[in-house]
mmCIF file of all heavy atoms in Angstrom:
data_model
loop_
_atom_site.group_PDB
_atom_site.id
_atom_site.type_symbol
_atom_site.label_atom_id
_atom_site.label_comp_id
_atom_site.label_asym_id
_atom_site.label_seq_id
_atom_site.Cartn_x
_atom_site.Cartn_y
_atom_site.Cartn_z
ATOM 1 N N GLN A 31 39.059 79.183 -20.034
ATOM 2 C CA GLN A 31 38.694 80.349 -20.894
ATOM 3 C C GLN A 31 37.458 81.010 -20.231
ATOM 4 O O GLN A 31 37.123 82.235 -20.639
ATOM 5 C CB GLN A 31 38.359 80.005 -22.260
ATOM 6 C CG GLN A 31 39.581 79.480 -22.989
ATOM 7 C CD GLN A 31 40.699 80.575 -23.225
ATOM 8 O OE1 GLN A 31 40.360 81.759 -23.397
ATOM 9 N NE2 GLN A 31 41.894 80.217 -23.015
ATOM 10 N N SER A 32 36.720 80.332 -19.380
ATOM 11 C CA SER A 32 35.461 80.876 -18.922
ATOM 12 C C SER A 32 35.381 80.769 -17.419
ATOM 13 O O SER A 32 35.682 79.795 -16.793
ATOM 14 C CB SER A 32 34.360 79.981 -19.485
ATOM 15 O OG SER A 32 34.453 79.984 -20.957
ATOM 16 N N PHE A 34 33.090 82.092 -13.824
ATOM 17 C CA PHE A 34 31.831 82.469 -13.356
ATOM 18 C C PHE A 34 31.761 82.694 -11.824
ATOM 19 O O PHE A 34 32.563 82.014 -11.097
ATOM 20 C CB PHE A 34 30.832 81.409 -13.682
ATOM 21 C CG PHE A 34 30.818 80.981 -15.068
ATOM 22 C CD1 PHE A 34 31.631 79.918 -15.401
ATOM 23 C CD2 PHE A 34 30.192 81.672 -16.140
ATOM 24 C CE1 PHE A 34 31.642 79.474 -16.790
ATOM 25 C CE2 PHE A 34 30.203 81.269 -17.471
ATOM 26 C CZ PHE A 34 31.029 80.190 -17.801
ATOM 27 N N TYR A 36 28.891 82.448 -8.737
ATOM 28 C CA TYR A 36 27.581 82.099 -8.298
ATOM 29 C C TYR A 36 27.332 82.495 -6.855
ATOM 30 O O TYR A 36 28.300 82.506 -6.027
ATOM 31 C CB TYR A 36 27.369 80.567 -8.395
ATOM 32 C CG TYR A 36 27.237 80.071 -9.898
ATOM 33 C CD1 TYR A 36 28.446 79.790 -10.620
ATOM 34 C CD2 TYR A 36 26.018 79.741 -10.421
ATOM 35 C CE1 TYR A 36 28.294 79.313 -11.846
ATOM 36 C CE2 TYR A 36 25.959 79.229 -11.716
ATOM 37 C CZ TYR A 36 27.094 79.031 -12.445
ATOM 38 O OH TYR A 36 27.117 78.579 -13.693
ATOM 39 N N GLN A 38 25.061 81.544 -3.568
ATOM 40 C CA GLN A 38 24.201 80.485 -2.999
ATOM 41 C C GLN A 38 23.741 80.898 -1.544
ATOM 42 O O GLN A 38 24.587 80.926 -0.621
ATOM 43 C CB GLN A 38 24.878 79.174 -2.953
ATOM 44 C CG GLN A 38 24.091 77.994 -2.466
ATOM 45 C CD GLN A 38 24.810 76.637 -2.553
ATOM 46 O OE1 GLN A 38 26.004 76.550 -2.494
ATOM 47 N NE2 GLN A 38 24.059 75.565 -2.680
ATOM 48 N N GLY A 41 20.671 76.760 1.852
ATOM 49 C CA GLY A 41 19.506 75.808 1.681
ATOM 50 C C GLY A 41 18.967 75.890 0.236
ATOM 51 O O GLY A 41 18.050 75.151 -0.155
ATOM 52 N N LYS A 42 19.624 76.806 -0.560
ATOM 53 C CA LYS A 42 19.059 77.046 -1.869
ATOM 54 C C LYS A 42 20.214 76.552 -2.913
ATOM 55 O O LYS A 42 21.348 76.317 -2.587
ATOM 56 C CB LYS A 42 18.750 78.552 -2.121
ATOM 57 C CG LYS A 42 17.692 79.050 -1.148
ATOM 58 C CD LYS A 42 16.422 78.429 -1.365
ATOM 59 C CE LYS A 42 15.419 79.010 -0.504
ATOM 60 N NZ LYS A 42 13.971 78.291 -0.659
ATOM 61 N N SER A 43 19.737 76.579 -4.161
ATOM 62 C CA SER A 43 20.733 76.225 -5.230
ATOM 63 C C SER A 43 21.534 77.444 -5.678
ATOM 64 O O SER A 43 21.045 78.586 -5.455
ATOM 65 C CB SER A 43 20.040 75.577 -6.444
ATOM 66 O OG SER A 43 19.033 76.460 -7.012
ATOM 67 N N PRO A 44 22.692 77.180 -6.231
ATOM 68 C CA PRO A 44 23.443 78.343 -6.720
ATOM 69 C C PRO A 44 22.822 79.130 -7.890
ATOM 70 O O PRO A 44 22.195 78.514 -8.772
ATOM 71 C CB PRO A 44 24.863 77.765 -7.208
ATOM 72 C CG PRO A 44 24.815 76.389 -6.581
ATOM 73 C CD PRO A 44 23.390 75.913 -6.453
ATOM 74 N N LEU A 46 23.621 82.133 -10.834
ATOM 75 C CA LEU A 46 24.662 82.781 -11.607
ATOM 76 C C LEU A 46 24.574 84.344 -11.427
ATOM 77 O O LEU A 46 23.510 84.856 -11.570
ATOM 78 C CB LEU A 46 24.600 82.513 -13.042
ATOM 79 C CG LEU A 46 25.672 83.147 -13.984
ATOM 80 C CD1 LEU A 46 27.014 82.594 -13.656
ATOM 81 C CD2 LEU A 46 25.273 83.103 -15.442
ATOM 82 N N SER A 49 29.622 86.442 -15.200
ATOM 83 C CA SER A 49 30.523 85.550 -16.042
ATOM 84 C C SER A 49 31.518 86.470 -16.682
ATOM 85 O O SER A 49 31.313 87.684 -16.838
ATOM 86 C CB SER A 49 29.743 84.899 -17.191
ATOM 87 O OG SER A 49 29.148 85.779 -17.970
ATOM 88 N N TYR A 51 35.136 86.426 -19.343
ATOM 89 C CA TYR A 51 35.954 85.628 -20.282
ATOM 90 C C TYR A 51 37.281 86.271 -20.648
ATOM 91 O O TYR A 51 38.134 85.534 -21.186
ATOM 92 C CB TYR A 51 35.121 85.418 -21.513
ATOM 93 C CG TYR A 51 33.828 84.824 -21.254
ATOM 94 C CD1 TYR A 51 32.574 85.568 -21.463
ATOM 95 C CD2 TYR A 51 33.562 83.471 -20.835
ATOM 96 C CE1 TYR A 51 31.366 85.029 -21.175
ATOM 97 C CE2 TYR A 51 32.362 82.987 -20.593
ATOM 98 C CZ TYR A 51 31.190 83.750 -20.763
ATOM 99 O OH TYR A 51 29.974 83.281 -20.477
ATOM 100 N N SER A 52 37.340 87.591 -20.453
ATOM 101 C CA SER A 52 38.571 88.318 -20.928
ATOM 102 C C SER A 52 39.257 88.946 -19.731
ATOM 103 O O SER A 52 38.566 89.289 -18.827
ATOM 104 C CB SER A 52 38.273 89.402 -21.962
ATOM 105 O OG SER A 52 37.485 88.866 -23.007
ATOM 106 N N LEU A 88 30.353 81.174 -4.884
ATOM 107 C CA LEU A 88 31.108 80.079 -5.520
ATOM 108 C C LEU A 88 31.775 80.632 -6.769
ATOM 109 O O LEU A 88 31.167 81.139 -7.646
ATOM 110 C CB LEU A 88 30.147 78.924 -5.871
ATOM 111 C CG LEU A 88 29.410 78.299 -4.702
ATOM 112 C CD1 LEU A 88 28.365 77.280 -5.338
ATOM 113 C CD2 LEU A 88 30.372 77.652 -3.746
ATOM 114 N N ILE A 92 35.608 76.777 -16.247
ATOM 115 C CA ILE A 92 35.456 75.592 -17.159
ATOM 116 C C ILE A 92 36.974 75.256 -17.640
ATOM 117 O O ILE A 92 37.669 76.011 -18.116
ATOM 118 C CB ILE A 92 34.665 75.995 -18.460
ATOM 119 C CG1 ILE A 92 33.239 76.356 -18.078
ATOM 120 C CG2 ILE A 92 34.727 74.920 -19.550
ATOM 121 C CD1 ILE A 92 32.393 76.738 -19.286
ATOM 122 N N ASN A 95 36.583 71.021 -20.665
ATOM 123 C CA ASN A 95 35.235 70.805 -20.978
ATOM 124 C C ASN A 95 34.350 70.483 -19.810
ATOM 125 O O ASN A 95 33.243 69.923 -19.977
ATOM 126 C CB ASN A 95 35.128 69.757 -22.091
ATOM 127 C CG ASN A 95 35.665 70.173 -23.434
ATOM 128 O OD1 ASN A 95 35.582 71.381 -23.753
ATOM 129 N ND2 ASN A 95 36.088 69.247 -24.305
ATOM 130 N N GLN A 96 34.855 70.810 -18.644
ATOM 131 C CA GLN A 96 33.961 70.539 -17.424
ATOM 132 C C GLN A 96 33.951 71.690 -16.542
ATOM 133 O O GLN A 96 34.902 72.527 -16.535
ATOM 134 C CB GLN A 96 34.538 69.377 -16.611
ATOM 135 C CG GLN A 96 34.371 68.014 -17.346
ATOM 136 C CD GLN A 96 34.981 66.940 -16.491
ATOM 137 O OE1 GLN A 96 34.818 67.050 -15.218
ATOM 138 N NE2 GLN A 96 35.580 65.866 -17.087
ATOM 139 N N PHE A 97 32.837 71.903 -15.818
ATOM 140 C CA PHE A 97 32.729 72.957 -14.815
ATOM 141 C C PHE A 97 33.456 72.529 -13.558
ATOM 142 O O PHE A 97 33.226 71.441 -13.053
ATOM 143 C CB PHE A 97 31.249 73.278 -14.528
ATOM 144 C CG PHE A 97 30.677 74.135 -15.488
ATOM 145 C CD1 PHE A 97 30.103 73.628 -16.543
ATOM 146 C CD2 PHE A 97 30.695 75.516 -15.312
ATOM 147 C CE1 PHE A 97 29.387 74.476 -17.485
ATOM 148 C CE2 PHE A 97 30.026 76.394 -16.222
ATOM 149 C CZ PHE A 97 29.415 75.879 -17.311
ATOM 150 N N TYR A 98 34.263 73.278 -12.903
ATOM 151 C CA TYR A 98 34.822 73.051 -11.649
ATOM 152 C C TYR A 98 34.449 74.177 -10.751
ATOM 153 O O TYR A 98 34.563 75.383 -11.098
ATOM 154 C CB TYR A 98 36.321 72.933 -11.713
ATOM 155 C CG TYR A 98 36.739 71.612 -12.433
ATOM 156 C CD1 TYR A 98 37.075 71.700 -13.807
ATOM 157 C CD2 TYR A 98 36.895 70.452 -11.717
ATOM 158 C CE1 TYR A 98 37.470 70.519 -14.438
ATOM 159 C CE2 TYR A 98 37.196 69.209 -12.451
ATOM 160 C CZ TYR A 98 37.517 69.303 -13.728
ATOM 161 O OH TYR A 98 37.896 68.183 -14.456
ATOM 162 N N PHE A 99 33.998 73.928 -9.552
ATOM 163 C CA PHE A 99 33.649 74.912 -8.590
ATOM 164 C C PHE A 99 34.526 74.903 -7.325
ATOM 165 O O PHE A 99 35.010 73.774 -6.927
ATOM 166 C CB PHE A 99 32.129 74.579 -8.036
ATOM 167 C CG PHE A 99 31.118 74.820 -9.036
ATOM 168 C CD1 PHE A 99 30.761 73.916 -10.007
ATOM 169 C CD2 PHE A 99 30.346 75.997 -9.025
ATOM 170 C CE1 PHE A 99 29.801 74.142 -10.934
ATOM 171 C CE2 PHE A 99 29.370 76.335 -9.954
ATOM 172 C CZ PHE A 99 29.041 75.309 -10.887
ATOM 173 N N GLY A 100 34.823 76.066 -6.817
ATOM 174 C CA GLY A 100 35.448 76.147 -5.612
ATOM 175 C C GLY A 100 34.510 75.784 -4.441
ATOM 176 O O GLY A 100 33.256 75.627 -4.634
ATOM 177 N N THR A 101 35.039 75.760 -3.277
ATOM 178 C CA THR A 101 34.202 75.381 -2.092
ATOM 179 C C THR A 101 33.466 76.491 -1.619
ATOM 180 O O THR A 101 32.528 76.317 -0.791
ATOM 181 C CB THR A 101 35.106 74.867 -1.016
ATOM 182 O OG1 THR A 101 36.170 75.807 -0.708
ATOM 183 C CG2 THR A 101 35.715 73.494 -1.366
ATOM 184 N N TYR B 34 24.259 67.973 -15.947
ATOM 185 C CA TYR B 34 25.235 67.662 -14.874
ATOM 186 C C TYR B 34 24.420 67.225 -13.565
ATOM 187 O O TYR B 34 23.358 67.791 -13.258
ATOM 188 C CB TYR B 34 26.021 68.872 -14.538
ATOM 189 C CG TYR B 34 26.691 69.540 -15.673
ATOM 190 C CD1 TYR B 34 26.066 70.535 -16.410
ATOM 191 C CD2 TYR B 34 28.013 69.223 -15.988
ATOM 192 C CE1 TYR B 34 26.571 71.141 -17.465
ATOM 193 C CE2 TYR B 34 28.608 69.893 -17.139
ATOM 194 C CZ TYR B 34 27.910 70.835 -17.849
ATOM 195 O OH TYR B 34 28.538 71.438 -18.924
ATOM 196 N N TYR B 36 25.396 67.190 -9.547
ATOM 197 C CA TYR B 36 26.383 67.588 -8.495
ATOM 198 C C TYR B 36 25.848 67.194 -7.157
ATOM 199 O O TYR B 36 24.542 67.050 -6.919
ATOM 200 C CB TYR B 36 26.667 69.107 -8.502
ATOM 201 C CG TYR B 36 27.449 69.623 -9.614
ATOM 202 C CD1 TYR B 36 26.734 70.105 -10.774
ATOM 203 C CD2 TYR B 36 28.805 69.739 -9.460
ATOM 204 C CE1 TYR B 36 27.455 70.602 -11.793
ATOM 205 C CE2 TYR B 36 29.514 70.325 -10.552
ATOM 206 C CZ TYR B 36 28.854 70.732 -11.665
ATOM 207 O OH TYR B 36 29.596 71.278 -12.723
ATOM 208 N N GLN B 38 26.399 68.238 -3.002
ATOM 209 C CA GLN B 38 27.037 69.165 -2.105
ATOM 210 C C GLN B 38 26.672 68.669 -0.647
ATOM 211 O O GLN B 38 25.482 68.680 -0.168
ATOM 212 C CB GLN B 38 26.334 70.612 -2.227
ATOM 213 C CG GLN B 38 27.099 71.690 -1.445
ATOM 214 C CD GLN B 38 26.551 72.982 -1.811
ATOM 215 O OE1 GLN B 38 25.389 73.208 -1.925
ATOM 216 N NE2 GLN B 38 27.371 73.992 -1.938
ATOM 217 N N GLY B 43 31.924 71.900 -0.785
ATOM 218 C CA GLY B 43 31.703 72.409 -2.167
ATOM 219 C C GLY B 43 30.910 71.430 -3.012
ATOM 220 O O GLY B 43 30.424 70.454 -2.592
ATOM 221 N N LEU B 44 30.769 71.898 -4.244
ATOM 222 C CA LEU B 44 30.019 71.101 -5.251
ATOM 223 C C LEU B 44 30.899 69.956 -5.740
ATOM 224 O O LEU B 44 31.997 70.198 -6.343
ATOM 225 C CB LEU B 44 29.576 71.976 -6.346
ATOM 226 C CG LEU B 44 28.366 72.919 -5.954
ATOM 227 C CD1 LEU B 44 28.158 73.822 -7.159
ATOM 228 C CD2 LEU B 44 27.145 72.251 -5.661
ATOM 229 N N LEU B 46 31.174 67.162 -8.671
ATOM 230 C CA LEU B 46 30.580 66.788 -9.902
ATOM 231 C C LEU B 46 30.405 65.174 -9.865
ATOM 232 O O LEU B 46 31.439 64.528 -9.651
ATOM 233 C CB LEU B 46 31.410 67.125 -11.115
ATOM 234 C CG LEU B 46 30.859 66.676 -12.474
ATOM 235 C CD1 LEU B 46 29.494 67.269 -12.769
ATOM 236 C CD2 LEU B 46 31.913 67.012 -13.515
ATOM 237 N N TYR B 49 28.063 63.872 -15.841
ATOM 238 C CA TYR B 49 27.726 64.821 -16.826
ATOM 239 C C TYR B 49 27.395 64.109 -18.217
ATOM 240 O O TYR B 49 27.869 63.003 -18.425
ATOM 241 C CB TYR B 49 28.674 65.936 -16.966
ATOM 242 C CG TYR B 49 30.068 65.551 -17.713
ATOM 243 C CD1 TYR B 49 30.191 65.750 -19.095
ATOM 244 C CD2 TYR B 49 31.103 65.053 -17.015
ATOM 245 C CE1 TYR B 49 31.410 65.401 -19.684
ATOM 246 C CE2 TYR B 49 32.265 64.744 -17.570
ATOM 247 C CZ TYR B 49 32.419 64.868 -18.920
ATOM 248 O OH TYR B 49 33.587 64.559 -19.553
ATOM 249 N N GLU B 59 32.326 60.973 -12.787
ATOM 250 C CA GLU B 59 33.497 61.617 -12.205
ATOM 251 C C GLU B 59 33.993 60.866 -10.912
ATOM 252 O O GLU B 59 35.163 60.866 -10.617
ATOM 253 C CB GLU B 59 33.161 63.065 -11.858
ATOM 254 C CG GLU B 59 33.116 63.911 -13.110
ATOM 255 C CD GLU B 59 34.420 63.964 -13.916
ATOM 256 O OE1 GLU B 59 35.419 64.421 -13.329
ATOM 257 O OE2 GLU B 59 34.399 63.514 -15.056
ATOM 258 N N PHE B 88 22.900 67.397 -0.668
ATOM 259 C CA PHE B 88 22.043 68.257 -1.529
ATOM 260 C C PHE B 88 22.498 67.973 -2.913
ATOM 261 O O PHE B 88 23.620 68.203 -3.357
ATOM 262 C CB PHE B 88 22.383 69.762 -1.136
ATOM 263 C CG PHE B 88 21.459 70.744 -1.640
ATOM 264 C CD1 PHE B 88 20.086 70.438 -1.729
ATOM 265 C CD2 PHE B 88 21.850 71.900 -2.096
ATOM 266 C CE1 PHE B 88 19.173 71.452 -2.219
ATOM 267 C CE2 PHE B 88 20.982 72.935 -2.588
ATOM 268 C CZ PHE B 88 19.629 72.647 -2.657
ATOM 269 N N LEU B 90 22.147 68.478 -6.909
ATOM 270 C CA LEU B 90 21.824 69.573 -7.828
ATOM 271 C C LEU B 90 22.019 69.107 -9.310
ATOM 272 O O LEU B 90 23.050 68.505 -9.609
ATOM 273 C CB LEU B 90 22.704 70.783 -7.546
ATOM 274 C CG LEU B 90 22.511 71.502 -6.262
ATOM 275 C CD1 LEU B 90 23.801 72.260 -5.856
ATOM 276 C CD2 LEU B 90 21.278 72.522 -6.354
ATOM 277 N N SER B 94 23.791 73.315 -19.310
ATOM 278 C CA SER B 94 24.428 74.396 -20.084
ATOM 279 C C SER B 94 24.336 74.158 -21.553
ATOM 280 O O SER B 94 24.017 72.931 -21.919
ATOM 281 C CB SER B 94 25.997 74.474 -19.691
ATOM 282 O OG SER B 94 26.654 73.357 -20.086
ATOM 283 N N LEU B 97 30.014 73.563 -24.009
ATOM 284 C CA LEU B 97 30.907 73.262 -22.892
ATOM 285 C C LEU B 97 31.897 74.431 -22.580
ATOM 286 O O LEU B 97 32.521 74.499 -21.570
ATOM 287 C CB LEU B 97 31.686 72.022 -23.127
ATOM 288 C CG LEU B 97 30.895 70.676 -22.963
ATOM 289 C CD1 LEU B 97 31.608 69.513 -23.406
ATOM 290 C CD2 LEU B 97 30.364 70.457 -21.498
ATOM 291 N N ASN B 98 31.974 75.368 -23.485
ATOM 292 C CA ASN B 98 32.940 76.469 -23.278
ATOM 293 C C ASN B 98 32.173 77.751 -23.418
ATOM 294 O O ASN B 98 31.356 77.854 -24.273
ATOM 295 C CB ASN B 98 34.062 76.406 -24.364
ATOM 296 C CG ASN B 98 34.972 75.202 -24.013
ATOM 297 O OD1 ASN B 98 35.438 74.998 -22.943
ATOM 298 N ND2 ASN B 98 35.186 74.368 -25.061
ATOM 299 N N ARG B 99 32.558 78.724 -22.632
ATOM 300 C CA ARG B 99 31.979 80.105 -22.655
ATOM 301 C C ARG B 99 30.557 80.181 -22.381
ATOM 302 O O ARG B 99 29.847 81.072 -22.922
ATOM 303 C CB ARG B 99 32.435 80.756 -23.961
ATOM 304 C CG ARG B 99 33.882 80.826 -24.213
ATOM 305 C CD ARG B 99 34.149 81.649 -25.435
ATOM 306 N NE ARG B 99 33.729 83.061 -25.282
ATOM 307 C CZ ARG B 99 34.513 83.941 -24.924
ATOM 308 N NH1 ARG B 99 35.693 83.723 -24.322
ATOM 309 N NH2 ARG B 99 34.076 85.231 -24.809
ATOM 310 N N THR B 100 29.947 79.147 -21.818
ATOM 311 C CA THR B 100 28.477 79.172 -21.485
ATOM 312 C C THR B 100 28.316 78.859 -20.040
ATOM 313 O O THR B 100 28.975 78.000 -19.449
ATOM 314 C CB THR B 100 27.671 78.231 -22.344
ATOM 315 O OG1 THR B 100 28.210 76.927 -22.103
ATOM 316 C CG2 THR B 100 27.819 78.599 -23.820
ATOM 317 N N GLU B 101 27.314 79.598 -19.474
ATOM 318 C CA GLU B 101 27.024 79.386 -18.095
ATOM 319 C C GLU B 101 26.294 78.070 -17.778
ATOM 320 O O GLU B 101 25.592 77.504 -18.718
ATOM 321 C CB GLU B 101 26.208 80.604 -17.573
ATOM 322 C CG GLU B 101 26.791 81.906 -17.798
ATOM 323 C CD GLU B 101 26.460 82.568 -19.224
ATOM 324 O OE1 GLU B 101 25.900 81.782 -20.041
ATOM 325 O OE2 GLU B 101 26.734 83.797 -19.416
ATOM 326 N N ALA B 102 26.303 77.638 -16.555
ATOM 327 C CA ALA B 102 25.531 76.573 -16.124
ATOM 328 C C ALA B 102 24.445 77.075 -15.196
ATOM 329 O O ALA B 102 24.648 77.920 -14.436
ATOM 330 C CB ALA B 102 26.414 75.481 -15.395
ATOM 331 N N PHE B 103 23.188 76.562 -15.330
ATOM 332 C CA PHE B 103 22.103 76.949 -14.554
ATOM 333 C C PHE B 103 21.611 75.745 -13.738
ATOM 334 O O PHE B 103 21.548 74.600 -14.242
ATOM 335 C CB PHE B 103 20.984 77.501 -15.411
ATOM 336 C CG PHE B 103 21.485 78.689 -16.254
ATOM 337 C CD1 PHE B 103 21.998 78.543 -17.544
ATOM 338 C CD2 PHE B 103 21.429 79.990 -15.676
ATOM 339 C CE1 PHE B 103 22.418 79.636 -18.290
ATOM 340 C CE2 PHE B 103 21.807 81.059 -16.369
ATOM 341 C CZ PHE B 103 22.252 80.947 -17.700
ATOM 342 N N PHE B 104 21.309 76.014 -12.462
ATOM 343 C CA PHE B 104 20.922 74.927 -11.587
ATOM 344 C C PHE B 104 19.436 74.790 -11.335
ATOM 345 O O PHE B 104 18.659 75.819 -11.313
ATOM 346 C CB PHE B 104 21.608 75.151 -10.234
ATOM 347 C CG PHE B 104 23.066 74.926 -10.260
ATOM 348 C CD1 PHE B 104 23.918 75.952 -10.679
ATOM 349 C CD2 PHE B 104 23.631 73.714 -9.897
ATOM 350 C CE1 PHE B 104 25.245 75.748 -10.706
ATOM 351 C CE2 PHE B 104 24.933 73.460 -9.956
ATOM 352 C CZ PHE B 104 25.816 74.530 -10.410
ATOM 353 N N GLY B 105 19.019 73.506 -11.060
ATOM 354 C CA GLY B 105 17.660 73.282 -10.544
ATOM 355 C C GLY B 105 17.614 73.718 -9.153
ATOM 356 O O GLY B 105 18.595 74.067 -8.465
ATOM 357 N N GLN B 106 16.366 73.450 -8.496
ATOM 358 C CA GLN B 106 16.230 73.887 -7.186
ATOM 359 C C GLN B 106 16.895 73.023 -6.140
ATOM 360 O O GLN B 106 17.054 73.328 -5.007
ATOM 361 C CB GLN B 106 14.745 73.920 -6.802
ATOM 362 C CG GLN B 106 14.003 72.482 -6.871
ATOM 363 C CD GLN B 106 12.615 72.625 -6.334
ATOM 364 O OE1 GLN B 106 12.050 73.656 -6.048
ATOM 365 N NE2 GLN B 106 11.936 71.456 -6.172
ATOM 366 N N ARG B 109 17.238 67.843 -1.412
ATOM 367 C CA ARG B 109 17.846 67.554 -0.041
ATOM 368 C C ARG B 109 17.535 66.082 0.281
ATOM 369 O O ARG B 109 16.412 65.751 0.658
ATOM 370 C CB ARG B 109 17.339 68.487 1.005
ATOM 371 C CG ARG B 109 17.865 68.253 2.353
ATOM 372 C CD ARG B 109 19.283 68.812 2.583
ATOM 373 N NE ARG B 109 19.290 70.291 2.185
ATOM 374 C CZ ARG B 109 20.399 70.910 2.022
ATOM 375 N NH1 ARG B 109 21.490 70.346 2.103
ATOM 376 N NH2 ARG B 109 20.332 72.242 1.775
#
Side-chain angles (χ1 to χ4, degrees):
Chain A
Q31 297 294 322
S32 305
F34 311 94
Y36 288 81
Q38 186 176 25
K42 302 296 185 182
S43 62
L46 177 72
S49 58
Y51 307 107
S52 304
L88 303 173
I92 294 179
N95 290 335
Q96 294 183 30
F97 279 91
Y98 290 94
F99 287 83
T101 54
Chain B
Y34 310 85
Y36 288 89
Q38 188 175 39
L44 290 170
L46 178 63
Y49 70 95
E59 287 298 299
F88 192 39
L90 291 156
S94 69
L97 287 169
N98 290 307
R99 299 184 68 84
T100 59
E101 303 88 348
F103 299 94
F104 288 86
Q106 67 172 6
R109 178 79 55 193

